[in-house]
Amino acid sequence: MIDILRKSLELFRLIPRSDLLARVTPTHPTPDQIVPGEMTIVRDGVDKWACFHCPGGCGETIKLSLSKNRRPKWTAMSDWLRRPTISPSVRQTNECRCHFWIRQGRIDWCKDSGPGSG
């Protein structure tokens, strides 16, 4: 029901189209469970990981630690429409070299990367 509502709001341009949707699970996903357009948040009492495909197109799976005891660490939350927000930004140091924020399910590219940064 939430997905239908979100898609309707996006269709009528009442909210921006989401690049990512959040799915919460108590166990770490297998590689085939990490699908494009979806962020898996591993939560078993506490937030542990956020896993998703790199939006830069390199094909790498990004796994961000959400543990308060690890460094570096990120925070992840999702709204009632399943749109995730991650803080701070994500910077890929591999050949992809992309740098972005995830806010309310949208990929916000930093000026130093992303489409057209060539």
Side-chain angles (χ1 to χ4, degrees), residues 16-35:
R17 182 188 55 79
S18 299
D19 297 314
L20 287 171
L21 297 177
R23 176 174 64 93
V24 178
T25 180
T27 58
H28 203 281
T30 61
D32 63 317
Q33 292 173 321
I34 301 172
V35 297

Side-chain angles (χ1 to χ4, degrees), residues 13-118:
R13 297 183 180 175
L14 298 172
I15 63 171
R17 182 188 55 79
S18 299
D19 297 314
L20 287 171
L21 297 177
R23 176 174 64 93
V24 178
T25 180
T27 58
H28 203 281
T30 61
D32 63 317
Q33 292 173 321
I34 301 172
V35 297
E38 186 175 84
M39 175 186 293
T40 301
I41 298 174
V42 180
R43 180 180 296 149
D44 186 13
V46 295
D47 287 351
K48 295 181 177 181
W49 295 96
C51 307
F52 56 98
H53 285 289
C54 178
C58 66
E60 186 170 318
T61 297
I62 296 175
K63 298 173 187 168
L64 303 176
S65 173
L66 306 178
S67 172
K68 295 181 187 318
N69 300 324
R70 296 183 85 171
R71 301 284 184 265
K73 68 174 180 171
W74 286 261
T75 59
M77 61 184 82
S78 63
D79 64 16
W80 64 281
L81 292 172
R82 295 185 37 213
R83 301 177 303 170
T85 296
I86 291 282
S87 183
S89 65
V90 179
R91 179 185 295 270
Q92 283 285 74
T93 57
N94 64 3
E95 67 278 351
C96 188
R97 314 285 305 164
C98 62
H99 185 200
F100 56 92
W101 290 87
I102 300 172
R103 298 179 177 126
Q104 291 184 314
R106 301 275 305 159
I107 304 296
D108 293 328
W109 294 100
C110 295
K111 290 181 182 180
D112 60 346
S113 77
S117 67

